[in-house]
Structure formats: structure tokens, C-alpha cells
Amino acid sequence: MKLDSIDIELIRLLQADSKKTTKQYADALNLSKTAVYERIRRLERNGVITQYTALVDKLKVGRDFMVLCQIRLVQHTKENVLKFEREVLQLEEVSECFHVGGDYDYILKIYVKDMKSYREFMVTKLTAIANIGNTQSSFVINEVKNSPSVHI
């Protein structure tokens, strides 16, 4: 799908605040409400916009201890890779999982309450996954930048 400059600006507006009304977006873009509505629907139909979500203050919900955990698998068979990925999808503490190249195979972004909670997570859940050969955890001191938006 080819995006024009209005589509790009509309996406930027939606990424900044998706709770505004169609009229507010129309006013910002100097378009009619109908034109904006149709553009949003087209972006959704074509998979450019994949979902809408609420961002939560991690401190207020007691999940502000962030860990980046690198994982190396023992064996890289298709079955083992797919089994690991299926099991990671079931771990609610893991907010993101990336299959990467380099020294490690995966990087997990994990949110828990504190170090004690992370240890409990490691001992009871993560190490229960078969085929993990090595892990290395980094504890986030401060988030310098964390943006869910994609720059276009």
C-alpha cells in the first residue's frame, strides 16, 4: 500500500493519541470527517494499523523492574526453536521477545515487581523451558527513551 503525506500525518496523529475524535483529526488535517474516517479504515484494512492499545504506567501497577534477558539455546533445531517460542508466549512477565543473531539467540524484555520477583520468575518459569543453554540478565537502571511509535 502506498502512503501519501496525509496518511503519514494521520498515522503520526494516531500514534500520538488514538483517543481523539475523527473530527479532531479532520480539523488537524484540514479534511472532512468522512475523508479521515475512510483513510483510517483503509489503513486498518490494509494492515498498516494493526491494533489500538492503552499504555500503562508500570510504576503504578507495580511492574517497573525491567530486565533484558539474553538467551542462548543448546540446540537450534526447528522443533526446539518453535517449542521455545511457544513457551515464551505463555509467560505473562515477558512483554517482548526477539529472535536475534549474534552471541545469543533471543532477547526477552521482562517486567516484574522487583529482584525477588525476577528470581522467582527465573527459577520457576524461565529455567523450566527445555533447551536453554545459557542466560544473561541486564537490569534496567533508567529508561532514556521508550516509544511505541514507528517513525515514518
Side-chain angles (χ1 to χ4, degrees), residues 35 40 69 133:
I40 291 171
C69 182

Side-chain angles (χ1 to χ4, degrees), residues 16-78:
D17 184 356
S18 65
K19 284 200 63 147
K20 289 185 177 178
T21 66
T22 306
K23 180 176 178 357
Q24 288 172 302
Y25 297 126
D27 291 345
L29 297 168
N30 293 318
L31 294 174
S32 70
K33 289 188 301 187
T34 303
V36 169
Y37 176 82
E38 304 260 340
R39 280 179 181 269
I40 291 171
R41 294 298 160 246
R42 182 173 46 86
L43 292 167
E44 292 169 347
R45 265 194 325 273
N46 287 302
V48 176
I49 296 172
T50 58
Q51 73 180 44
Y52 298 92
T53 188
L55 300 178
V56 175
D57 184 320
K58 293 173 263 324
L59 181 62
K60 290 182 180 174
V61 296
R63 295 294 179 268
D64 59 316
F65 190 77
M66 184 195 319
V67 182
L68 301 175
C69 182
Q70 298 178 64
I71 296 177
R72 185 178 300 131
L73 300 180
V74 173
Q75 221 176 14
H76 297 91
T77 64
K78 179 180 180 180

Side-chain angles (χ1 to χ4, degrees), residues 3 6 21 36 47 57-58 64-65 67 69 73-75 82 84 93-94 102 104 109 114 120 123-124 138 141 146:
L3 300 176
I6 296 171
T21 66
V36 169
D57 184 320
K58 293 173 263 324
D64 59 316
F65 190 77
V67 182
C69 182
L73 300 180
V74 173
Q75 221 176 14
L82 295 176
F84 172 81
E93 296 88 349
V94 176
Y104 286 87
K109 186 175 182 182
D114 52 22
E120 180 69 20
V123 170
T124 62
S138 298
I141 295 168
N146 181 355

